[in-house]
Amino acid sequence: MNKIDQLAHDIQQANIRHKAKMADTIKSVLPDSGERSEFNTGAVRDASQGKGCPSLLPLAALRAASRRFEDGATKYGRNNWQKGIPLSRYVDALYRHLWQYMEGDTTEDHGGAVVWNAMCLVQTKDWIEQGKLPKELNDL
């Protein structure tokens, strides 16, 4: 084999090794369920089942919760709730606001408060279970 043929062979072998390493890297970086969704265009993506469907979230409720987060940041400081509040406080406030919402009270955005308290309840409980917040906050 002459030098040019040897060089071409070496490059080809290096490309094969590189592709194999990249395939392993992609597998570790991009999780793969093994399922595929194929679109009319021919494009393919990993299946989305079981991953949640954010496009179905109701925008009015998200906007209301977003305003509550903004109001809380103004009143108590940005991300104050992330410091840790006992779960029972979220549950109590959630019910109070739900009852006021059901009674037609319009003195404040009770619907937004229900969503905000529910979101913070779920996130705080998750952080407690992960050890990011003290387990004593779970007082339910």
Side-chain angles (χ1 to χ4, degrees):
M1 185 179 298
N2 65 38
K3 289 184 179 186
I4 292 178
D5 290 338
Q6 183 63 47
L7 179 60
H9 175 75
D10 291 346
I11 290 171
Q12 182 181 25
Q13 293 302 309
N15 282 334
I16 291 170
R17 286 190 305 274
H18 176 72
K19 285 181 183 178
K21 286 182 181 178
M22 288 307 298
D24 289 341
T25 300
I26 288 170
K27 285 179 188 174
S28 68
V29 174
L30 294 175
D32 193 330
S33 69
E35 301 293 322
R36 296 285 181 270
S37 295
E38 187 168 341
F39 305 96
N40 293 339
T41 62
V44 179
R45 293 226 32 189
D46 193 42
S48 60
Q49 188 172 9
K51 297 178 181 179
C53 198
S55 62
L56 296 178
L57 290 169
L59 293 180
L62 290 174
R63 282 190 187 103
S66 178
R67 285 190 296 271
R68 292 302 285 210
F69 277 99
E70 180 182 13
D71 294 344
T74 300
K75 185 172 181 178
Y76 302 110
R78 188 176 182 88
N79 296 323
N80 174 69
W81 70 276
Q82 292 182 10
K83 296 175 185 175
I85 294 172
L87 297 181
S88 64
R89 294 294 297 268
Y90 291 121
V91 171
D92 292 343
L94 192 153
Y95 276 112
R96 282 193 305 271
H97 285 289
L98 178 60
W99 296 332
Q100 290 172 293
Y101 181 84
M102 292 169 65
E103 292 168 346
D105 183 335
T106 58
T107 58
E108 64 177 293
D109 180 9
H110 295 295
V114 168
V115 175
W116 184 90
N117 279 285
M119 291 175 80
C120 293
L121 171 68
V122 170
Q123 186 64 61
T124 298
K125 186 171 186 289
D126 188 53
W127 283 340
I128 292 167
E129 291 169 356
Q130 291 177 27
K132 294 179 179 180
L133 287 173
K135 64 180 186 276
E136 294 77 27
L137 292 176
N138 187 348
D139 60 348
L140 298 179

